[in-house]
Amino acid sequence: MENLIALLVAAPLLGAAVLLCGGRRLDRAGHWLGTLLAAASFVVAVVLFTDMLGKGAEDRALHQKLFSWIPVEGFQADVAFQLDQLSMTFVLLITGVGTLIHIYSIGYMEHDERRRRFFGYLNLFLAAMLILVIADNYLLLYVGWEGVGLASYLLIGFWQHKPSAATAAKKAFLVNRVGDMGLSIAIMLMFTTFGTFAYGPVLEATGETSEGKLTAIGLMLLLAACGKSAQVPLQSWLGDAMEGPTPVSALIHAATMVTAGVYLIVRSGAIFNAAPDAQMVVVVVGAVTLIFGAIVGCAKDDIKKALAGSTMSQIGYMILAAGLGPIGYVFAIMHLVTHGFFKAGLFLGAGSVMHGMNDEVDMRKYGGLRKYMPVTFVTFGLGYLAIIGFPGLSGFFSKDKIIEAAFAKGGTEGWILGSVALLGAAITAFYMTRVMLMTFFGEERWRRTATPSPDAPDVEPAAETRGEHAEPHPHESPKSMTIPMIVLAFGSVFAGGFFSIGDRFLHWLEPVTGHDHGDAPIGASTVTAATMVALVIGVAIAWAMYGRKPVPVAAPRGSLLTRAARRDLLQDDFNHVVLVRGGEHLTRSLVYVDHTLVDGVVNGTAASMGGLSGRLRKLQNGYARSYAVSMFGGTAVLIAATLLMRAV
């Protein structure tokens, strides 16, 4: 079975190569080819998963070496794949949800002239992410890591004719390069410390390595995770990434890019377990980001950007859980999988709403859409209930486990982290209820005006071909879009409960990640009750603000916090002042030093040598009489000196 592992990557990689290099002759069938190869990868994943289930927990890991990449003395790097319970979980999520997004894109991108290229980029994205999660060493993981960065740049900026899309793609690319520097430094430190990049030798040797080195490696890995998973302080790119087509948003937020950081930390768990300071920084980053993203999501009127804030917050939950060590590793991955279902469903639902609303994204110009889009309403609504943790749905099981794990950290730290996680649950219930009410309930505000929102992005090419600048006529999306939404809705409802029966998911991952029950100061039932109270409070406040009162088309000025949240809590302003302006001042200072000190020394030395050579040049004037006088004078000096020495 291990020989099949390479086929996971080969299928979408072949699709990317054919679609991107095959030319216009594939325009009519390219989308079908891309979708078929993504589905083929999913079929291979299911076959491997079935085989893995038939083995004992300790014998499930598979390994396949393709070839030696860099075989030199003292430096060995292989192109080799490792498939264990952790990577298998990601493979199923990536290929399964990725295939559904491919199917959805067939209808969503129907009118785009560059659809073939779009599906080529989607295939490239899947192939890079699969390399990332099944690599058996950090250097090959880095290849997939950079491939995901390239594919995200191409997809976010797919409609590059829009300046906003081109800018967003460059921003995502540059911010992620900062995080990628962390991963490259971590890999260099690993090689100098352990002499290898392979997971096994590196993770097994952590007990024999100094805590200082492991802390440095852990912090660099965290920096990389912050870039890919949009965590503070490298979170500014995520909201702007909504400029890409909606299927891209679903792919980035649910199944691929933002989950890479969580995978990296959990895969490197042995390093963080042996470096408690680095582990604490992971916890702090996750806790800060889950509140940061939730607050941003509360103030966004753009439906996709509201969901982007939600993703930032939910990934913060996962990073928080991963920072708890063996107490939270399993629950971080469990929430990642359930989040993959309901967040993909929510983004595809948002795309369906946009499809029926002339690509309008401003929720203040929605309202009352449930009767026009019943399938979208039900599937989006189930995703909404799942993400807020409604009892019995997926988010209820996975997010509650993270909150329990936060309290199980013990001591004052556990109480603080548990309280932060509960606060995040209340804010989640508020902003997601706000999205639900503004989109599907209330009066039909889109009848008031047909002008585009000033905050809305440029009209997508699909909209241009339909001439959609008139009053919207909301309608349900075609089956190619609604069927994937229905499938994801089933996952939103049943996945969490299925994983929790008999601690099924815990027993599945425990051989790889380990598990520790911690020291919880309160029982699970108490945590559940507190979570339900937080949920009810969040929903009630949202209902009071957006359900009982008419929603104005123009957003009110709001409080200082609201205005800051609309500007992403001033993250771009901070980056501009500290990094851009700071970089400008640093550059000017370096230029000044270069001109005054460096150039001064160089030019001064040159001028001194020029002046000295000019004076010496006068001695070599070419006149014989001058040379004779010089010789006579020199002889006289020598004679005088000789006589003086004899006299003494």
Side-chain angles (χ1 to χ4, degrees), residues 12-300:
L13 196 59
L14 174 64
V18 171
L19 293 175
L20 296 178
C21 302
R24 294 190 175 277
R25 66 178 66 91
L26 293 173
D27 282 354
R28 292 185 177 181
H31 52 289
W32 293 111
L33 177 62
T35 303
L36 179 63
L37 290 172
S41 183
F42 176 64
V43 171
V44 173
V46 171
V47 171
L48 289 168
F49 174 65
T50 304
D51 177 71
M52 190 176 286
L53 288 177
K55 299 178 180 179
E58 303 300 330
D59 301 322
R60 287 173 170 167
L62 299 175
H63 188 273
Q64 181 184 15
K65 178 181 175 181
L66 296 184
F67 57 88
S68 293
W69 181 11
I70 311 176
V72 296
E73 185 177 357
F75 187 95
Q76 184 73 29
D78 297 330
V79 174
F81 299 134
Q82 172 181 302
L83 195 65
D84 55 18
Q85 292 93 317
L86 178 60
S87 52
M88 186 78 251
T89 302
F90 276 82
V91 166
L92 288 171
L93 178 67
I94 293 165
T95 57
V97 176
T99 299
L100 291 174
I101 292 172
H102 275 70
I103 296 171
Y104 178 93
S105 300
I106 293 173
Y108 191 86
M109 301 295 291
E110 181 180 3
H111 300 284
D112 198 294
E113 296 179 353
R114 300 169 66 237
R115 180 166 60 168
R116 169 186 55 82
R117 184 176 295 273
F118 179 78
F119 276 81
Y121 292 159
L122 289 184
N123 276 194
L124 179 62
F125 208 136
L126 291 191
M129 191 66 191
L130 287 169
I131 291 174
L132 191 158
V133 299
I134 65 175
D136 84 331
N137 61 82
Y138 285 97
L139 194 61
L140 186 58
L141 176 145
Y142 188 77
V143 174
W145 194 271
E146 292 301 315
V148 169
L150 170 63
S152 66
Y153 169 78
L154 296 172
L155 286 168
I156 293 169
F158 183 73
W159 287 321
Q160 70 267 28
H161 66 281
K162 299 191 303 181
S164 57
T167 301
K170 289 186 289 185
K171 183 177 182 181
F173 191 82
L174 292 174
V175 172
N176 273 273
R177 294 294 72 73
V178 177
D180 294 350
M181 285 297 298
L183 182 57
S184 62
I185 293 172
I187 293 173
M188 295 176 197
L189 290 174
M190 287 177 191
F191 184 75
T192 57
T193 303
F194 306 107
T196 181
F197 311 105
Y199 293 149
V202 168
L203 300 180
E204 290 170 4
T206 54
E208 306 168 1
T209 309
S210 68
E211 185 178 318
K213 290 183 178 179
L214 293 176
T215 299
I217 294 173
L219 291 176
M220 290 299 99
L221 292 175
L222 174 61
L223 179 62
C226 287
K228 277 289 183 288
S229 294
Q231 300 293 283
V232 171
L234 300 180
Q235 80 287 4
S236 61
W237 66 270
L238 191 62
D240 295 292
M242 299 304 98
E243 291 293 337
T246 299
V248 175
S249 303
L251 194 65
I252 289 176
H253 286 248
T256 54
M257 188 168 178
V258 295
T259 65
V262 182
Y263 172 81
L264 180 65
I265 293 174
V266 175
R267 174 61 75 187
S268 308
I271 295 174
F272 288 95
N273 293 341
D277 291 338
Q279 199 170 55
M280 176 56 65
V281 178
V282 174
V283 171
V284 172
V285 167
V288 170
T289 308
L290 79 88
I291 298 298
F292 188 103
I295 292 175
V296 169
C298 291
K300 292 296 185 181

Side-chain angles (χ1 to χ4, degrees), residues 352-605:
S352 179
V353 170
M354 293 168 57
H355 177 83
M357 291 293 293
N358 298 352
D359 295 293
E360 177 63 71
V361 296
D362 190 345
M363 294 184 294
R364 294 185 177 276
K365 297 178 181 178
Y366 290 168
L369 294 180
R370 66 186 185 279
K371 61 184 178 182
Y372 299 98
M373 306 172 130
V375 177
T376 301
F377 167 64
V378 172
T379 55
F380 193 97
L382 291 173
Y384 151 72
L385 293 174
I387 195 173
I388 69 173
F390 190 83
L393 275 69
S394 291
F396 169 78
F397 295 99
S398 58
K399 188 157 54 176
D400 271 24
K401 288 295 185 182
I402 293 179
I403 298 174
E404 290 177 24
F407 280 109
K409 183 68 174 177
T412 304
E413 181 183 343
W415 282 104
I416 294 174
L417 294 176
S419 301
V420 169
L422 279 175
L423 176 60
I427 302 176
T428 300
F430 170 80
Y431 69 71
M432 285 307 305
T433 303
R434 174 179 179 268
V435 170
M436 199 69 189
L437 292 173
M438 292 179 70
T439 302
F440 295 102
F441 294 89
E443 62 177 323
E444 299 172 354
R445 295 181 299 278
W446 42 271
R447 294 187 182 277
R448 299 182 189 175
T449 177
T451 58
S453 167
D455 299 325
D458 299 337
V459 178
E460 301 176 357
E464 292 175 357
T465 61
R466 297 190 295 264
E468 295 173 347
H469 290 286
E471 180 179 320
H473 297 283
H475 56 278
E476 190 56 88
S477 299
K479 289 184 178 180
S480 61
M481 296 171 64
T482 57
I483 290 176
M485 292 157 55
I486 293 171
V487 175
L488 291 168
F490 274 96
S492 301
V493 174
F494 298 112
F498 177 77
F499 293 155
S500 299
I501 296 174
D503 289 330
R504 183 176 285 143
F505 198 79
L506 172 60
H507 296 318
W508 167 256
L509 279 184
E510 189 173 8
V512 179
T513 62
H515 183 64
D516 184 359
H517 292 286
D519 184 21
I522 56 178
S525 58
T526 304
V527 173
T528 300
T531 306
M532 290 300 99
V533 171
L535 184 153
V536 171
I537 291 174
V539 171
I541 295 175
W543 172 256
M545 294 179 63
Y546 298 95
R548 297 182 60 187
K549 301 177 182 178
V551 177
V553 172
R557 180 175 174 81
S559 64
L560 180 62
L561 178 60
T562 301
R563 297 197 299 272
R566 288 179 187 143
R567 294 173 60 87
D568 299 324
L569 290 180
L570 308 181
Q571 53 186 309
D572 285 332
D573 302 82
F574 176 83
N575 291 341
H576 186 75
V577 172
V578 175
L579 301 179
V580 177
R581 290 285 180 83
E584 290 176 351
H585 290 307
L586 176 62
T587 302
R588 289 169 185 161
S589 300
L590 293 175
V591 169
Y592 176 78
V593 170
D594 180 60
H595 286 171
T596 57
L597 181 61
V598 178
D599 286 355
V601 171
V602 173
N603 295 335
T605 302

